[in-house]
Amino acid sequence: MRTSTAGRVGQYAALLAYLVFLAFPFLWLVSTAFKSPRQLGSLHPTWIPRDPTLDNFRQAFDEQPLLRAAGNSLLAALAAAVIAVLIATPLAYVTARHRTRLAKAATGWVVVSQAFPLVLVIIPLFLVLKNLRLINSLAGLVLVYVVWALPFALWMLVGYVRAVPTELEEAAAVDGAGRLRTLVSVTAPLLAPGIVATALFAFITAWNEFFFALVLLKTADKQTLPVVLTHFIGAEGVADLGPLAAAAFLATLPSLVVFAIIQRRITGGMLTGAVKS
């Protein structure tokens, strides 16, 4: 019993240390966002701001078009999430229900593709979009986000589809329901949580993406929020720390809220896929 109790205490201590490690950057970001320039230049920084101020937020909005950039990010992320799910859902159903060699090979390729570094594909990707005249356009960026999100969305949805018992579909067929009716009335409602979780995960990925947006978008009116945040850093690498922290804090909030809502469903989908594969 003593060994079990000591082990459990050690596990909780390790978990607490890990949470503190993860939360430290965000807490420091929040603290910095509310500090005055005098506090930011202090040789003895403190966790809790003395005389917290909103001047950094006002300055951030005055210096950069944050609302326009947030609108571009929102449009690109929403479009990418919706399109990726619309494509991945039927592919996931076919892959899960028909376990052929081709389906297994496709699943393996999905997993391998996640290991490709972004730098490896950016040059051919740029040339392809240039030929399609989609450079410096949100449509081109959405296309890239959809292609990049599809492998993980497909892998995640395959786990949800395999979690739906085939006996339910067979029972519906015995009752006289056609294939389409079975998919719409039986399978789709059971897949709804997985579809929502996958769509929101694709949204978070696109919302936070920086590298593709930096390379593919040239004019200020098309740039997304992560790219605009770099404008708070001067040509000599000197950062306008207060406004940068304030803008970064606002940019981080949507991802944190969305992930807090769907983290259980994402974890459940991953575990289901691992068990059923």
Side-chain angles (χ1 to χ4, degrees):
M1 181 64 68
R2 291 181 180 178
T3 303
S4 177
T5 303
R8 182 165 298 182
V9 171
Q11 291 175 354
Y12 282 122
L15 178 60
L16 179 61
Y18 183 63
L19 291 176
V20 171
F21 172 78
L22 292 179
F24 175 79
F26 179 71
L27 294 177
W28 192 262
L29 175 67
V30 175
S31 174
T32 304
F34 289 95
K35 288 181 178 179
S36 64
R38 182 178 179 181
Q39 286 184 269
L40 292 174
S42 174
L43 297 177
H44 304 285
T46 59
W47 270 99
I48 301 176
R50 297 186 299 271
D51 301 324
T53 178
L54 294 176
D55 290 342
N56 291 326
F57 293 90
R58 299 190 188 97
Q59 188 176 347
F61 280 100
D62 291 339
E63 291 182 1
Q64 300 296 335
L66 296 181
L67 291 179
R68 183 177 64 194
N72 291 338
S73 291
L74 181 64
L75 178 61
L78 283 176
V82 171
I83 296 173
V85 167
L86 288 177
I87 297 174
T89 301
L91 289 177
Y93 183 84
V94 173
T95 302
R97 288 292 186 255
H98 304 281
R99 302 190 182 185
T100 62
R101 291 183 178 179
L102 181 60
K104 293 181 179 179
T107 303
W109 175 251
V110 165
V111 176
V112 172
S113 67
Q114 298 302 293
F116 289 170
L118 300 182
V119 178
L120 186 66
V121 300
I122 191 60
I123 294 179
L125 183 62
F126 184 90
L127 294 176
V128 170
L129 292 179
K130 183 179 180 180
N131 291 332
L132 295 175
R133 298 182 180 180
L134 291 176
I135 296 295
N136 194 39
S137 71
L138 290 179
L141 188 65
V142 168
L143 178 62
V144 172
Y145 286 169
V146 169
V147 173
W148 197 252
L150 264 178
F152 190 85
L154 176 61
W155 177 74
M156 190 171 176
L157 283 172
V158 165
Y160 279 102
V161 174
R162 288 178 178 171
V164 177
T166 56
E167 291 79 8
L168 295 177
E169 297 178 357
E170 294 170 357
V174 171
D175 291 339
R179 190 65 174 173
L180 181 61
R181 177 67 181 276
T182 300
L183 293 176
V184 173
S185 301
V186 178
T187 309
L190 296 175
L191 288 180
I195 293 174
V196 172
T198 304
L200 292 178
F201 186 88
F203 173 85
I204 292 175
T205 302
W207 175 269
N208 293 329
E209 201 283 323
F210 169 75
F211 185 66
F212 288 134
L214 176 66
V215 175
L216 300 177
L217 302 176
K218 302 301 181 182
T219 58
D221 62 308
K222 299 293 178 60
Q223 290 178 339
T224 58
L225 194 53
V227 177
V228 170
L229 291 181
T230 63
H231 297 171
F232 290 100
I233 302 177
E236 298 180 355
V238 179
D240 198 355
L241 196 55
L244 174 59
F249 170 65
L250 295 176
T252 305
L253 283 180
S255 296
L256 291 177
V257 172
V258 170
F259 189 79
I261 295 173
I262 67 169
Q263 57 91 14
R264 290 185 178 180
R265 290 183 176 179
I266 290 179
T267 304
M270 291 180 178
L271 293 178
T272 299
V275 172
K276 295 292 182 178
S277 296

